[in-house]
């Protein structure tokens, strides 16, 4: 039986806007087990970005309970949350978020520096991660010397370098053409086949279809089901 690594119970998130309160998440119940490949599918304004921020410990819910690897997230201070983000979550963004004056290798090393991994070991691990994503020949290249697909692969190598509990991908193919996006999704399949847990946030039905499980979010509520049921 798969190990539960994420559990949300009646998660609500509201924001005060002047004299009114906007309820963005309206009672989210979600469980994710180790090794799952989950897509959170929803249009703009559905609440998926807010949900992603809470999953990634970038924000905390207004009410409800969120457990990640058995730890109740609301009970943690910012220092502990930063530690959880660095150890538990590998972030992959639509716009890559690479440091433009750093090489591919140096970009992949960055989270390992924050994790206090010794220089020799982090260099070895960063090289290994670039090889894993098919960029062993691009270690010295700067981001502007690489294609969009190559930059996203560097970002994926960076995300997996610390061996996080969850890969959290926000519109990972949004800045890529269809063919390049397909190659990135193939890499996601390979990583998932190796046992990595992936949660992917997307508005694209075709991208969501690559996941093994789909949760649809609309107006702050979620429902389970295949894409063809949408």
């Amino acid at each position: 039986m798969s190990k539960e690594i994420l559990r949300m119970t009646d998660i609500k998130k509201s924001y005060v806007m002047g004299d009114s309160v906007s309820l963005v998440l309206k009672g989210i119940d979600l469980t994710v087990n180790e090794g799952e490949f989950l897509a959170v599918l929803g249009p703009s304004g559905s609440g998926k970005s807010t949900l992603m921020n809470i999953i990634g410990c970038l924000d905390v819910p207004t009410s409800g309970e969120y457990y990640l690897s058995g730890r109740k997230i609301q009970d943690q201070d910012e220092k502990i949350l930063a530690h959880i983000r660095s150890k538990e979550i590998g972030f992959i963004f639509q716009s890559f978020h690479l440091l433009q004056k750093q090489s591919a290798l140096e970009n992949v090393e960055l989270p390992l520096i924050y994790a206090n991994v010794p220089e020799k070991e982090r260099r070895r691990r960063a090289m290994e991660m670039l090889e894993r994503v098919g960029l062993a020949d691009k270690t010295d290249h700067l981001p502007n010397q690489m294609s969009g697909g190559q930059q996203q692969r560097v970002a994926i190598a960076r995300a997996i370098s610390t061996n996080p509990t969850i890969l959290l991908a926000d519109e990972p193919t949004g800045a890529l053409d269809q063919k390049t996006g397909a190659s990135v999704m193939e890499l996601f399949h390979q990583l998932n086949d190796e046992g990595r847990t992936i949660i992917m946030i997307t508005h694209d039905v075709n991208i969501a279809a690559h996941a093994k499980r789909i949760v649809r979010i609309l107006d702050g509520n979620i429902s389970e089901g295949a894409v063809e049921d949408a």
Side-chain angles (χ1 to χ4, degrees):
M1 186 174 180
S2 296
K3 174 185 175 184
E4 178 186 285
I5 58 174
L6 180 159
R7 176 161 49 89
M8 291 182 161
T9 305
D10 197 26
I11 291 292
K12 296 178 181 177
K13 182 65 180 181
S14 59
Y15 297 96
V16 177
M17 304 177 70
D19 295 330
S20 63
V21 176
S22 175
L23 185 60
V24 179
L25 298 181
K26 302 175 180 177
I28 300 293
D29 294 320
L30 180 66
T31 300
V32 178
N33 293 327
E34 189 175 45
E36 282 202 73
F37 185 177
L38 170 70
V40 178
L41 174 65
S44 177
S46 62
K48 66 181 186 298
S49 294
T50 301
L51 179 60
M52 183 202 74
N53 287 339
I54 292 175
I55 291 172
C57 301
L58 297 168
D59 199 358
V60 292
T62 304
S63 64
E65 295 185 339
Y66 174 26
Y67 289 87
L68 180 60
S69 297
R71 184 157 35 184
K72 189 175 181 180
I73 296 303
Q74 297 96 301
D75 291 346
Q76 314 306 321
D77 61 26
E78 181 51 44
K79 184 176 180 181
I80 297 297
L81 288 176
H83 177 77
I84 291 171
R85 287 192 295 269
S86 67
K87 295 290 186 181
E88 301 275 359
I89 311 291
F91 292 95
I92 302 166
F93 300 100
Q94 175 178 341
S95 54
F96 319 137
H97 286 198
L98 300 179
L99 297 179
Q100 295 301 306
K101 295 184 179 180
Q102 303 292 314
S103 68
L105 187 66
E106 290 167 334
N107 269 284
V108 177
E109 281 187 284
L110 195 60
L112 300 173
I113 293 173
Y114 293 143
N116 296 315
V117 175
E119 182 178 0
K120 186 176 180 180
E121 170 61 16
R122 72 172 182 254
R123 183 60 55 99
R124 183 199 65 78
R125 201 184 302 181
M127 282 290 300
E128 183 180 313
M129 293 303 101
L130 285 171
E131 289 173 7
R132 176 64 194 82
V133 300
L135 293 177
D137 61 338
K138 303 293 183 183
T139 56
D140 295 329
H141 285 56
L142 298 175
N144 64 10
Q145 297 172 317
M146 294 182 285
S147 68
Q150 289 169 340
Q151 290 184 64
Q152 189 61 293
R153 285 174 179 266
V154 172
I156 293 169
R158 180 183 59 192
I160 64 177
S161 66
T162 57
N163 195 30
T165 302
I166 294 171
L167 284 180
L168 183 57
D170 180 22
E171 302 283 6
T173 65
L176 306 175
D177 61 63
Q178 188 172 359
K179 182 178 179 181
T180 306
S183 71
V184 168
M185 293 313 303
E186 177 57 32
L187 177 56
F188 274 32
H189 283 290
Q190 293 170 13
L191 293 169
N192 181 242
D193 288 344
E194 294 169 5
R196 295 188 184 273
T197 306
I198 301 172
I199 300 177
M200 180 173 64
I201 314 297
T202 184
H203 72 279
D204 190 326
V205 171
N206 294 321
I207 294 300
H210 285 273
K212 295 177 180 177
R213 176 186 168 203
I214 296 165
V215 168
R216 296 193 302 275
I217 184 166
L218 186 64
D219 295 330
N221 295 294
I222 63 171
S223 60
E224 297 258 358
V227 169
E228 54 265 31
D229 296 334

